[in-house]
Amino acid sequence: MKHLLAFDIGGTDLKIGKFSLAGDLIESGKLSLENRKGETILSQIERQIDSDTAGLALSIPGYIDPATGFIEMGGAIVDFNGFNIFDYFKERYPGLTISAENDANCAALAEKWKGSAKEERDFLFLTIGTGIGGAIYLNDALYRGVRNRSGEFGHMFSEHVTSDVAESHKFNKSATLAILRQKYAECKNIPFQDISGEQIFEAYDNGEEEASRLVGDLYTGLAMNILNLYYVFAPPVFYIGGGIISRKTFMHELEQRILEIEPAFSAAMKPASFGNQSGIIGAVYHHIGSKNME
């Protein structure tokens, strides 16, 4: 039976889904990426293609043109910088339909298609992980911006730039799980790789001083990021994705910090509906509706 294959390319995992041509999920899984090499990722994708594969739906980090498949910047996948992924697969598999979209945009599309944003015409989607990414959905459509660069919420400045190193004043350098781990590891004088976000939040729940201070800083940074977006877009809903939402109290704690800073904040705060499957689901939705497949 003919099917679609969807792939969500991450920094450490390649998430895979097999879907019917109508967009129903048949099965899903993931493969660990030994490295972030482009050739490794492409090879893993090719291993999944068989004679019943009708099309590939790709969720990719960075700046990608969904009309042409050209990846201007591939995020964590440096090998994808300046790479045309449509040309690569069409040359090798001329019978397949190919589509590609930014990973955060795919997560937002999944929410719109099968999640709790079905009735929403306007919303913002934030992904919180190694960095802060996002998607803007306005007037019942994705807003991609010039050169497909919209939604890079982590690149907003978190404070007045006081040095020539502007990058250090961005939210990506102050309000992410990677920064939380880095700062905690420095406080404890332990290797970064020996501490996880879960362990820090456990220490926070137990009232440890360093963890309380750093987690408090994280919530403040995220609250500031969301409030900046709220003042600009005034969306009715913010959807939050990323592994951090598996913490049962996270959404409540974040919303409480926002209200402490700005009591007039009135947008709803909702967790993403599909966890790690958001990327593949949104990629298939984009694939089915794409006018650019050949």
Side-chain angles (χ1 to χ4, degrees):
M1 182 180 294
K2 291 292 183 180
H3 58 257
L4 300 174
L5 289 178
F7 299 91
D8 181 23
I9 301 169
T12 56
D13 295 313
L14 177 67
K15 301 171 187 70
I16 305 169
K18 180 187 288 187
F19 291 78
S20 72
L21 299 185
D24 297 317
L25 180 62
I26 299 170
E27 60 183 23
S28 65
K30 68 178 180 179
L31 295 173
S32 177
L33 296 175
E34 297 176 1
N35 54 54
R36 295 176 177 177
K37 296 292 185 182
E39 61 182 24
T40 301
I41 295 167
L42 295 171
S43 176
Q44 293 279 29
I45 291 173
E46 290 187 78
R47 289 194 186 109
Q48 308 302 316
I49 299 172
D50 59 30
S51 59
D52 288 326
T53 302
L56 302 180
L58 307 173
S59 168
I60 301 174
Y63 307 142
I64 179 166
D65 187 338
T68 66
F70 180 73
I71 305 170
E72 182 179 353
M73 189 278 289
I77 315 301
V78 177
D79 289 347
F80 281 174
N81 292 354
F83 177 68
N84 192 303
I85 203 161
F86 284 5
D87 289 349
Y88 179 89
F89 283 110
K90 287 177 180 178
E91 179 181 343
R92 291 160 176 77
Y93 306 93
L96 297 186
T97 56
I98 315 292
S99 66
E101 178 59 277
N102 168 268
D103 52 1
N105 284 349
C106 284
L109 289 174
E111 205 64 48
K112 175 65 179 177
W113 185 27
K114 294 191 175 185
S116 58
K118 287 181 181 179
E119 304 302 320
E120 300 291 346
R121 290 180 54 84
D122 304 279
F123 64 90
L124 296 187
F125 193 104
L126 273 76
T127 58
I128 301 170
T130 303
I132 299 175
I136 302 168
Y137 199 90
L138 298 175
N139 298 318
D140 213 23
L142 274 176
Y143 176 74
R144 294 188 174 89
V146 175
R147 292 167 61 188
N148 302 290
R149 291 187 172 212
S150 68
E152 295 292 339
F153 304 145
H155 286 288
M156 294 193 301
F157 290 100
S158 60
E159 58 187 345
H160 177 67
V161 178
T162 57
S163 72
D164 293 334
V165 188
E167 193 70 22
S168 64
H169 298 275
K170 293 182 176 181
F171 283 107
N172 276 340
K173 298 298 182 181
S174 63
T176 69
L177 289 178
I179 295 300
L180 174 67
R181 291 173 59 206
Q182 177 185 317
K183 290 182 176 179
Y184 189 80
E186 290 172 355
C187 285
K188 294 295 186 179
N189 196 27
I190 57 177
F192 172 83
Q193 60 270 21
D194 289 349
I195 191 69
S196 67
E198 290 84 354
Q199 290 171 308
I200 299 172
F201 274 100
E202 182 178 352
Y204 168 77
D205 290 335
N206 291 330
E208 183 188 281
E209 183 177 352
E210 293 91 343
S212 296
R213 175 175 60 82
L214 292 174
V215 171
D217 288 345
L218 174 69
Y219 279 127
T220 296
L222 292 174
M224 289 170 57
N225 189 293
I226 289 169
L227 284 169
N228 285 342
L229 295 168
Y230 174 73
Y231 295 135
V232 173
F233 294 100
V237 187
F238 283 90
Y239 290 93
I240 309 295
I244 195 170
I245 66 171
S246 62
R247 175 176 169 80
K248 293 180 180 180
T249 57
F250 172 76
M251 294 296 294
H252 173 72
E253 289 166 345
L254 176 57
E255 188 167 14
Q256 286 301 112
R257 186 64 187 118
I258 292 170
L259 291 170
E260 287 171 2
I261 298 171
E262 177 51 272
F265 179 79
S266 61
M269 297 280 292
K270 297 183 180 181
S273 301
F274 301 109
N276 286 334
Q277 292 187 336
S278 291
I280 56 174
I281 292 172
V284 167
Y285 180 58
H286 170 70
H287 186 96
I288 292 172
S290 177
K291 298 178 181 179
N292 304 300
M293 297 182 299
E294 297 179 3

